[in-house]
Amino acid sequence: MLKKFSHFFEKPAEVDLSFNPYVTQISGHTLQVMQASDSNISDLLKLEEKVYSGRTPWSSFSFASELRKWHNSVYLVIYEGSQLVGFVGGRFIPCEGHITNIAVDPAYQNQGIGTYLMKLMIDMARRNGANQVTLEVRVDNEKAQMLYRNLGFVDGFVRVGYYREDHVDGLEMILYLKGKKK
């Protein structure tokens, strides 16, 4: 039992989460890609409201907490001008990446932005020697599941009642970067 929790007492493993901001073109949009900071939290919440029909699954406290975990957590944002059009967050250890959150403004969906964000996180996981990237997705979110499957993710197990606000099950999905573990 103690071995199971030993990671709480150890120094976090080193991962390279450095990210240099840049400008890119996606589907005719000129977009600024950068690492999120506390100054982006209000925009993150507004985007969540758009994506989740007025709800904000993550609170400002949740985002602030994730942004402070600089040793193993990174959030990337994409802006067109002053408008946040998408974001993605992840946690990393040397052997694994985990996507914690991704959202794209409904007006910008189906234009490759979600795929672009996912590929940024997958590349970060590869850069850190990860064997796999994992995430959870609502079992009723077929659109997101299709995006993840198109990137090579496969179904894992179902987490019953995973989403607290409405008790919908969560499907774990896994992208094996170095072959499936036995």
Side-chain angles (χ1 to χ4, degrees):
M1 181 81 149
L2 258 171
K3 186 176 182 181
K4 180 178 178 180
F5 297 105
S6 64
H7 66 279
F8 288 116
F9 305 104
E10 297 172 359
K11 181 181 176 199
E14 295 293 322
V15 289
D16 177 11
L17 301 179
S18 59
F19 189 84
N20 294 318
Y22 61 91
V23 174
T24 191
Q25 292 277 329
I26 301 174
S27 297
H29 299 283
T30 301
L31 303 169
Q32 304 157 21
V33 184
M34 65 194 93
Q35 196 162 346
S37 68
D38 285 342
S39 66
N40 301 112
I41 292 175
S42 65
D43 289 343
L44 294 169
L45 293 169
K46 288 175 191 169
L47 181 54
E48 273 197 331
E49 286 179 352
K50 285 183 184 178
V51 171
Y52 298 108
S53 305
R55 295 181 333 223
T56 55
W58 283 46
S59 67
S60 59
F61 177 80
S62 298
F63 281 118
S65 176
E66 284 297 302
L67 293 174
R68 281 193 283 279
K69 296 176 184 171
W70 55 268
H71 64 278
N72 74 338
S73 180
V74 67
Y75 270 71
L76 303 177
V77 291
I78 293 186
Y79 280 85
E80 183 171 47
S82 62
Q83 181 180 351
L84 177 65
V85 299
F87 69 86
V88 65
R91 290 188 199 121
F92 298 88
I93 57 176
C95 62
E96 183 176 336
H98 180 76
I99 307 298
T100 56
N101 202 340
I102 181 169
V104 175
D105 187 312
Y108 289 82
Q109 290 179 2
N110 301 312
Q111 297 182 44
I113 294 170
T115 298
Y116 188 83
L117 287 167
M118 288 294 295
K119 286 181 177 180
L120 287 174
M121 297 307 256
I122 292 166
D123 289 345
M124 193 168 288
R126 279 194 176 104
R127 184 175 80 203
N128 283 290
N131 297 320
Q132 63 186 25
V133 178
T134 61
L135 57 82
E136 286 86 25
V137 60
R138 294 171 63 97
V139 294
D140 59 359
N141 191 342
E142 294 175 9
K143 189 175 176 182
Q145 290 174 37
M146 185 170 54
L147 165 68
Y148 306 143
R149 287 187 184 107
N150 286 340
L151 289 167
F153 283 78
V154 296
D155 294 1
F157 56 89
V158 173
R159 296 177 184 251
V160 177
Y162 181 75
Y163 293 94
R164 289 185 210 133
E165 70 275 1
D166 55 8
H167 308 290
V168 171
D169 296 345
L171 172 64
E172 179 196 47
M173 298 188 77
I174 307 161
L175 173 64
Y176 294 101
L177 301 176
K178 296 183 179 180
K180 188 173 181 175
K181 282 191 171 183
K182 302 291 182 208

